[in-house]
Amino acid sequence: MSQCRGVSSDSPQAESSVPRGPGGPAPIPAVHVVLIGPPGSGKGTQAVRLAERYGIPHISTGDILRSAVRAGSELGRQVADIMTKGLLVGDDLMTDLVRARLKEPDVSRGFVLDGYPRTVGQAETLDGMIGAERMIVLLIDVADSEIVRRMGTRRVCDSCRLTQSVADPFHPTSEPCPYCGGNLVRRPDDEPETVRRRLATYAQYALPVIEHYRKRPTFAVVDGAQHADNVMAGMTAHIDSVRAKT
Ligand code: ADP
């Protein structure tokens, strides 16, 4: 599969949201990255790397919702059941959550958005919030069979919260976290039945979202079956080439 295809025209990018001081250094344009990909495509891992590289926040709607569930907040109570079933939380609730997060001051330099938009309604709302021409959209493409394999071994440390793989998918608690010694546990929504439902939900909702973005010159597809370093290289090549044209 091709590494990364995309940028093919010179459509104008929006001005940076960093203020331009008179006679000051040229402003660095904000980077607005939207990552799309099936569960288990490595989106979260790559989002963290991109955020570090460009010095921008990683905004994961799944992480925000999971910490709300852990904290037992009103939001957490509303979404816990939906998440465990592998279904989608309603557009209105998600949009309120993302709108509030994008108003935080750390977003002035941009963001890596991971997990939103998941429906065409959310994509249209995001265009309204950010401006369609300002978003760099990357699809991490991975076959279902590879995802099922990966999810069988995915665990999260219940102490340091790092996501990692275990060698033996059938003995889920046999290995301690190699970083802090904590317990490696399966996310409730990584249970095989829920994974199947999440993949079905992704297939149902993601295609129209991808079509929403596909014709944009800032859209690219990266082969997520490659080594993680190559996935990262494909993504940064695309982001940098879009930015070079702005
Ligand atoms: P995945 O690992 O499947 O990519 P995430 O960690 O992004 O999943 O999200 C976990 C769950 O949180 C989803 O299965 C869904 O229930 C809910 N969720 C996260 N983002 C959204 C969203 N933008 N719209 C609706 N539901 C969402």
Side-chain angles (χ1 to χ4, degrees), residues 10-22:
D10 297 336
S11 83
Q13 295 288 298
E15 290 276 301
S16 160
S17 50
V18 177
R20 187 190 296 261

Side-chain angles (χ1 to χ4, degrees), residues 145-205:
S145 53
E146 169 64 8
I147 287 164
V148 169
R149 190 194 65 75
R150 289 182 187 181
M151 302 293 244
T153 57
R154 181 158 87 167
R155 301 290 182 275
V156 180
C157 173
D158 68 357
S159 176
C160 69
R161 312 285 334 148
L162 274 179
T163 297
Q164 44 211 292
S165 287
V166 291
D168 184 352
F170 302 107
H171 295 93
T173 54
S174 58
E175 296 172 40
C177 172
Y179 301 99
C180 75
N183 299 311
L184 295 181
V185 294
R186 194 172 237 161
R187 263 169 46 177
D189 57 352
D190 278 352
E191 293 298 333
E193 180 55 27
T194 309
V195 169
R196 275 191 284 280
R197 205 151 336 116
R198 284 163 69 199
L199 283 172
T201 305
Y202 178 79
Q204 181 183 353
Y205 289 99

